[in-house]
């Protein structure tokens, strides 16, 4: 499988980069490049490997045209390159075939500059009709009134085509602001040489017991919040209530999950470690059977291992629910009455199962449309099964403090000798003190 370039094929365990970007957005108004408004046609983004017409039909065999022919011009800004750009070129060419009277022009803007360039353009009365962006840009874009709310424009029936957690990534304070194109989530990689994927235990206790049978049955877990948060729900606990108050210590058994992690880390052949590179290297060498990571690792791991991907085992209180984060398409807030339906039609097409097939085939992406057939991509299909048991990445302001204190929670207990129950109480208090709750 072709691996997209690193800037876009970003591991979400590096979400700190996204958070730093949000801070940067507020403070670097003078550093972004000047952008032409949509009234001045930008140059088309070039791709050296645009698929031929026959390949388009193979990748998008079931695409159907919008019932009413559309005519007009759209401008789309994005930062997709390599495999992602190939998929976008395929989708654009197919839409051109179906809607020959619609002209779509694209402008590539480097990922670190795209959010600020878009904000500046909208503030100046210009900018594109559509923007491809990750969900964690949503709070800043919505606060600046730089994106169009889609409530009332996208029906409840239309919303059913997406994985719920992917769509919820584009809701903020009850409003829907975007349609998801693809998503990322962690699940369990299985080395088929060491373990039968069908034999993974159904529960975390069973999984631990299996790991204790021998080092090659071990489990590798990256010790950071994003990679471990799934166990909080599995043990019946919650990070926040609806008001953004940390309730980690008020219900469930978060301390029990921490004790499970500590026991696993003390099991020969298993690791709960903050050294991601070490874990991946040991797994590649066949030292343990299971590794929890995301789809960004497929290319590297599948080069040397016979792999499967299976969902995380459940905990004593229910399913393990990792965070799911999505990329999607957003609309300019000041579209005219004539331009709005044109932009919505393409946004819908960009997020269909047919377009999702191009994203899976050419970019190795997980399509947000749950109707996309993934039988030809079994590893992606494994992650899609996990998506059915996932939570949307929270966009609460309190998350800025959770990344630090929540990460410390696991390190203190697993790498140190802190008492699990006391550390849970302390962590909730630190978060609430920092947020004034």
């Amino acid at each position: 499988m072709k691996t997209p370039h690193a800037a876009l094929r970003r591991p979400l365990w590096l979400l700190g980069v996204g958070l730093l970007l949000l801070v940067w957005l507020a403070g670097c108004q003078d550093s972004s490049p000047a952008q032409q408004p949509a009234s001045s046609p930008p140059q088309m983004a070039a791709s050296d490997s645009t698929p031929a017409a026959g390949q388009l039909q193979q990748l998008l065999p079931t695409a159907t045209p919008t019932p009413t022919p559309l005519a007009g011009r759209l401008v789309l800004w994005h930062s997709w390159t390599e495999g992602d750009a190939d998929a976008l070129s395929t989708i654009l060419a197919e839409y051109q075939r179906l809607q020959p009277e619609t002209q779509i022009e694209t402008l590539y803007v480097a990922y670190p500059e795209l959010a600020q360039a878009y904000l500046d353009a909208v503030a100046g009365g210009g900018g594109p009709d559509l923007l491809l962006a990750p969900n964690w840009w949503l709070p800043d874009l919505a606060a600046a009134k730089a994106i169009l709310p889609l409530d009332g424009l996208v029906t409840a029936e239309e919303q059913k085509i997406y994985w719920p957690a992917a769509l919820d990534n584009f809701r903020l304070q009850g409003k829907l602001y975007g349609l998801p194109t693809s998503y990322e989530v962690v699940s369990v990689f299985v080395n088929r040489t060491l373990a039968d994927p069908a034999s993974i235990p159904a529960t975390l206790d069973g999984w631990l017991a299996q790991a204790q049978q021998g080092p090659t049955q071990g489990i590798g877990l990256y010790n950071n919040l994003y990679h471990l948060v799934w166990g909080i729900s599995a043990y019946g606990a919650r990070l926040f209530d609806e008001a953004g108050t940390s309730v980690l210590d008020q219900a469930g058994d978060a301390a029990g999950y921490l004790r499970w992690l500590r026991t696993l880390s003390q099991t020969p052949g298993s690791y709960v470690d903050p050294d991601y590179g070490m874990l991946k290297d040991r797994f590649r060498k066949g030292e343990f059977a299971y590794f929890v990571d995301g789809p960004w690792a497929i290319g590297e791991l599948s080069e040397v291992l016979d792999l499967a991907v299976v969902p995380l085992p459940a905990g004593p209180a229910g399913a393990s629910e990792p965070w799911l984060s999505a990329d999607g398409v957003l609309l300019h807030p000041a579209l005219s009455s004539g331009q709005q339906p044109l932009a919505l039609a393409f946004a819908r097409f960009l997020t269909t199962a047919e377009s999702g097939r191009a994203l899976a085939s050419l970019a190795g992406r997980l399509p947000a449309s749950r109707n996309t057939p993934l039988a030809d991509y079994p590893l992606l299909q494994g992650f899609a099964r996990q998506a059915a048991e996932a939570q949307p990445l929270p966009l609460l302001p309190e998350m800025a403090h959770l990344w630090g204190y929540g990460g410390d929670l696991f390190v203190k207990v697993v790498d140190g000798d802190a008492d699990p129950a006391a550390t849970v109480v302390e962590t909730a208090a630190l978060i609430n003190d920092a947020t004034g709750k």
Side-chain angles (χ1 to χ4, degrees), residues 22-46:
L22 295 182
V23 176
W24 174 76
L25 293 178
C28 62
Q29 295 292 326
D30 296 330
S31 62
S32 60
Q35 298 293 330
Q36 294 180 341
S39 56
S40 300
Q43 294 183 348
M44 295 289 289

Side-chain angles (χ1 to χ4, degrees), residues 109-339:
V109 182
Y111 181 76
E113 302 170 355
L114 179 57
Q116 190 63 50
Y118 176 78
L119 283 168
D120 289 346
V122 173
D129 302 288
L130 305 107
L131 173 72
L132 293 176
N135 74 301
W136 56 82
W137 290 0
L138 205 60
D140 274 20
L141 296 180
K145 300 186 185 305
I147 46 179
L148 179 71
L150 301 182
D151 300 285
L153 300 176
V154 180
T155 68
E157 194 64 26
E158 287 178 297
Q159 295 177 30
K160 291 179 181 178
I161 74 166
Y162 307 106
W163 289 107
L167 187 66
D168 285 346
N169 266 265
F170 289 94
R171 295 189 197 278
L172 189 66
Q173 298 177 348
K175 293 183 179 180
L176 179 66
Y177 284 98
L179 299 180
T181 55
S182 64
Y183 66 90
E184 291 181 338
V185 67
V186 300
S187 196
V188 184
F189 282 105
V190 184
N191 182 342
R192 290 179 179 271
T193 304
L194 301 178
D196 179 0
S199 299
I200 186 172
T203 67
L204 291 175
D205 285 343
W207 203 22
L208 174 60
Q210 184 187 77
Q212 291 171 333
Q213 294 174 7
T216 60
Q217 295 300 298
I219 303 165
L221 300 180
Y222 178 33
N223 191 353
N224 83 338
L225 177 65
Y226 179 78
H227 274 70
L228 297 179
V229 73
W230 46 266
I232 298 295
S233 60
Y235 276 77
R238 289 198 304 160
L239 291 166
F240 296 106
D241 63 13
E242 292 73 13
T245 301
S246 177
V247 292
L248 186 63
D249 58 336
Q250 295 183 22
D253 187 17
Y257 176 44
L258 294 174
R259 284 189 286 268
W260 184 89
L261 290 170
R262 176 185 279 174
T263 303
L264 179 67
S265 72
Q266 296 169 348
T267 300
S270 292
Y271 304 87
V272 184
D273 199 281
D275 189 339
Y276 176 75
M278 177 275 291
L279 290 167
K280 190 165 58 175
D281 185 59
R282 287 181 179 273
F283 185 65
R284 281 168 51 91
K285 291 177 179 177
E287 295 186 19
F288 50 86
Y290 304 101
F291 182 43
V292 175
D293 205 13
W296 52 81
I298 287 176
E300 182 177 354
L301 296 179
S302 61
E303 288 177 354
V304 295
L305 297 173
D306 182 13
L307 294 172
V309 174
V310 298
L312 290 152
S320 294
E321 298 176 335
W323 279 337
L324 182 152
S325 184
D327 282 5
V329 56
L330 310 173
L331 275 63
H332 193 288
L335 294 175
S336 68
S337 59
Q339 199 73 351

Side-chain angles (χ1 to χ4, degrees), residues 90-129:
T90 297
I91 294 166
L92 288 168
E94 178 65 3
Y95 196 73
Q96 182 71 56
R97 184 185 72 83
L98 297 172
Q99 295 290 348
E101 298 303 315
T102 299
Q103 177 189 9
I104 301 177
E105 299 172 349
T106 64
L107 178 67
Y108 170 84
V109 182
Y111 181 76
E113 302 170 355
L114 179 57
Q116 190 63 50
Y118 176 78
L119 283 168
D120 289 346
V122 173
D129 302 288

Side-chain angles (χ1 to χ4, degrees), residues 238-240 244-250 402 405-406 409 412 421-437:
R238 289 198 304 160
L239 291 166
F240 296 106
T245 301
S246 177
V247 292
L248 186 63
D249 58 336
Q250 295 183 22
L402 178 65
Y405 292 126
L409 168 72
K412 289 176 181 177
T423 306
V424 168
V425 173
E426 176 191 44
T427 299
L430 287 169
I431 294 172
N432 288 332
D433 182 64
T435 59
K437 301 294 183 180

